Amino acid sequence: MTVHIDTPLCKGCALCARYCPRDVLVMTEVTNRKGFNVVGVINPENCINCRLCEMYCPDLAIAIEVPAKK
Amino acid sequence: MSQMINAQRRHIRYGKLPHFFCPGCGDGQVLNFFLRAIDELGMNLEDMVAIGGVGCTARIPVYLNTDTLHGVHGRTLPWAMGIKLHKPEIPVVIFAGDGDAASIGGNHLIHAARRNLDVTMIVVNNLNFAMTGGQVAPTTPAKFVTMTTPYGSGEPPFDICEVALAAGATHVSRSTTSRGPQTIKAIKKGLQHRGFSLVEIISQCPTHFGRYALGSGKPEVNIEFIDDNSVTIAEAKNMTKDELRGKFVIGEFIDEQKPVFAGSSVYEVEE
């Protein structure tokens, strides 16, 4: 699973980090062009593709990519 | 390889993102939920009309790839009635805040519900007038501090769903932004229903309601406040009136069929 975050759109509300059940998403100190602290991905291998972050993101900034099955 | 983007973004008007909502605003979540509901129903946004009045929530149609009307405060339903009388086959969705629906446009809400106009009204209730700076609204719970009530609001709040029910709406439900799948389902049922359907979504406003009333501008504090104070219809049945004061009752209140308003020549009054 790959978690794509469109950082120019992220406003750092931390709702995705709140809903993530496996602590894949955490807030970082990195700021984007608008000055918001953006969310970052740690341990992407823990992602279970529940897509709660995608559903609850107010800024449509998150996309989950599922690798194609062999 | 280019970066993969959120699938819902294909419904957004070109170049409109990032939207103007504050960080953690419930309106962005409602936009996301609505686009998911549209996707699941297989509806085409280009055939629809989305209407917003004035307010934070009323900005949602501006981002949608629909035909859009935006900008007359509280008068979303008269617009919708004009469209519905001219072309009844066009699906009309109204995005209204609590100001648009309950205070400035309250009278239109009552009469559209009474006539059973065939529109879907999504009311995002963030418990204050957020766009103008967090003033007290008719939906603000009693005793909560806002910008204009520094010693706490002295008025009992207004229940939008109860008003719509009393006026004769045929589909009324309430959900919260923290219940994503339930809200998507409620919006889907509202869109599929023939007749006046009102979907109220209790939403967080971290910038104003959170800061003044709850003492924290963090979205999660707001969401926890709404979650702690929401009860389902089944739970509410076993509670007394005093216990239900200040609670949000979540669920579907009514879903029935009645003759739909389509101009005086077609409209039949039910016996």
Side-chain angles (χ1 to χ4, degrees):
Chain A
M1 245 61 77
T2 321
V3 185
H4 296 282
I5 292 165
D6 201 345
T7 43
L9 291 191
C10 181
K11 288 180 185 158
C13 65
L15 285 178
C16 50
R18 178 185 189 268
Y19 283 106
C20 182
R22 301 299 286 267
D23 298 330
V24 175
L25 297 159
V26 285
M27 294 312 294
T28 61
E29 296 295 312
V30 182
T31 52
N32 63 6
R33 197 161 50 93
K34 303 236 171 196
F36 292 117
N37 279 10
V38 297
V39 76
V41 183
I42 50 163
N43 316 323
E45 66 278 4
N46 282 354
C47 179
I48 51 170
N49 195 23
C50 66
R51 298 190 170 225
L52 286 176
C53 51
E54 226 185 52
M55 180 192 291
Y56 285 106
C57 178
D59 299 287
L60 305 172
I62 303 178
I64 310 281
E65 188 180 357
V66 184
K69 277 182 187 160
K70 281 172 194 167
Chain B
M1 196 188 94
S2 64
Q3 194 189 20
M4 189 181 161
I5 61 162
N6 192 306
Q8 264 62 43
R9 293 242 305 261
R10 69 182 190 280
H11 297 305
I12 300 284
R13 218 170 270 232
Y14 178 74
K16 280 285 181 188
L17 287 179
H19 52 52
F20 100 129
F21 303 130
C22 304
C25 177
D27 287 330
Q29 291 185 301
V30 172
L31 173 70
N32 198 343
F33 296 153
F34 175 75
L35 293 176
R36 275 158 201 276
I38 288 286
D39 263 359
E40 287 177 26
L41 289 176
M43 290 172 88
N44 191 359
L45 274 185
E46 283 164 24
D47 302 337
M48 296 171 74
V49 177
I51 304 178
V54 166
C56 296
T57 312
R59 288 280 300 190
I60 293 179
V62 177
Y63 303 108
L64 296 174
N65 224 344
T66 56
D67 287 338
T68 298
L69 288 163
H70 172 251
V72 181
H73 202 355
R75 315 296 174 230
T76 52
L77 281 159
W79 263 339
M81 188 165 304
I83 292 164
K84 271 294 179 191
L85 289 183
H86 181 57
K87 282 198 170 175
E89 70 276 7
I90 296 181
V92 175
V93 185
I94 294 171
F95 289 92
D98 45 337
D100 252 353
S103 52
I104 295 98
N107 210 0
H108 298 300
L109 171 75
I110 297 169
H111 293 291
R114 174 176 66 83
R115 290 179 183 129
N116 200 19
L117 185 70
D118 182 16
V119 296
T120 306
M121 191 167 187
I122 298 173
V123 179
V124 183
N125 181 358
N126 57 9
L127 312 172
N128 65 1
F129 290 134
M131 187 182 251
T132 48
Q135 289 87 353
V136 65
T139 45
T140 307
K143 296 178 186 164
F144 275 90
V145 173
T146 65
M147 187 182 125
T148 43
T149 53
Y151 304 107
S153 164
E155 305 160 9
F158 196 56
D159 190 324
I160 299 172
C161 286
E162 291 285 334
V163 171
L165 276 174
T170 50
H171 181 270
V172 179
S173 65
R174 188 189 277 132
S175 187
T176 69
T177 48
S178 58
R179 303 179 177 219
Q182 288 93 330
T183 310
I184 293 172
K185 209 173 158 191
I187 294 175
K188 267 163 72 179
K189 279 198 100 170
L191 287 169
Q192 284 174 316
H193 179 77
R194 191 162 185 275
F196 188 81
S197 60
L198 186 134
V199 181
E200 186 187 348
I201 301 166
I202 308 282
S203 153
Q204 70 273 19
C205 176
T207 309
H208 293 301
F209 189 77
R211 214 153 44 87
Y212 285 113
L214 308 173
S216 167
K218 286 188 174 171
E220 57 260 40
V221 176
N222 263 254
I223 286 173
E224 272 155 30
F225 162 75
I226 293 170
D227 275 350
D228 291 345
N229 287 296
S230 53
V231 290
T232 60
I233 291 177
E235 285 166 358
K237 270 182 189 157
N238 304 325
M239 291 167 80
T240 60
K241 249 190 167 171
D242 274 346
E243 285 173 330
L244 278 175
R245 195 165 292 147
K247 302 271 188 221
F248 309 113
V249 183
I250 306 291
E252 187 182 294
F253 296 95
I254 195 166
D255 186 34
E256 61 178 22
Q257 288 295 328
K258 271 190 197 169
V260 169
F261 179 71
S264 54
S265 59
V266 196
Y267 188 49
E268 290 169 6
V269 178
E270 202 179 23
E271 286 302 313

